[in-house]
């Protein structure tokens, strides 16, 4: 079980720095909302962790026999501090 993306908005500092670097390298503008920045870094963190799980399953030759399920409740919270964007829902 992985309880992201959800409040409280928390992520290891290194992922905020990594996010800032990715935005800079792609020519994007820095994320000016601290909550949106945290949320985006949480997405990056989740993506990295899911990749590590997939790699571990592959290393143990279990990947092809494993069903990975992603489930969401009802979209992201658009209120503070959630800072999600449910467009175009």
């Amino acid at each position: 079980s992985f309880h992201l993306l959800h409040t409280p908005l928390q992520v290891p500092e290194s992922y905020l720095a990594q996010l800032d670097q990715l935005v800079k390298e792609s020519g994007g503008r820095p994320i000016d909302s601290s909550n949106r920045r945290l949320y985006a870094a949480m997405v990056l963190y989740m993506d990295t962790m899911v990749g590590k799980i997939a790699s571990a399953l592959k290393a143990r030759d279990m990947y092809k026999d494993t069903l990975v399920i992603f489930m969401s409740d009802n979209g992201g919270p658009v209120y503070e501090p959630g800072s999600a964007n449910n467009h175009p829902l």
Side-chain angles (χ1 to χ4, degrees), residues 26-42:
S26 69
R29 291 181 304 198
I31 301 172
D32 57 0
S33 163
S34 61
N35 284 341
R36 293 289 294 165
R37 184 172 167 255
L38 273 167
Y39 197 86
M42 289 168 68

Side-chain angles (χ1 to χ4, degrees), residues 1 12-14 17 21 26 28 41 48-49 51-52 57 60 62 64 66 70-71 74-76 81 83 87:
S1 176
E13 258 323 294
S14 62
Q21 186 62 35
S26 69
T48 301
M49 294 303 115
K52 287 183 177 190
L57 290 168
R60 290 166 180 78
M62 298 168 62
K64 63 182 171 124
T66 301
F70 292 89
M71 188 174 91
N74 57 352
S83 298
H87 181 77

Side-chain angles (χ1 to χ4, degrees), residues 3-68:
H3 190 71
L4 278 179
L5 304 164
H6 208 282
T7 54
L9 302 182
Q10 298 173 326
V11 69
E13 258 323 294
S14 62
Y15 284 89
L16 289 167
Q18 189 176 347
L19 173 70
D20 293 340
Q21 186 62 35
L22 287 170
V23 169
K24 182 178 179 180
E25 288 173 359
S26 69
R29 291 181 304 198
I31 301 172
D32 57 0
S33 163
S34 61
N35 284 341
R36 293 289 294 165
R37 184 172 167 255
L38 273 167
Y39 197 86
M42 289 168 68
V43 172
L44 179 62
Y45 177 75
M46 185 175 70
D47 184 61
T48 301
M49 294 303 115
V50 170
K52 287 183 177 190
I53 291 168
S55 294
L57 290 168
K58 288 175 184 177
R60 290 166 180 78
D61 198 30
M62 298 168 62
Y63 186 77
K64 63 182 171 124
D65 296 320
T66 301
L67 176 63
V68 177

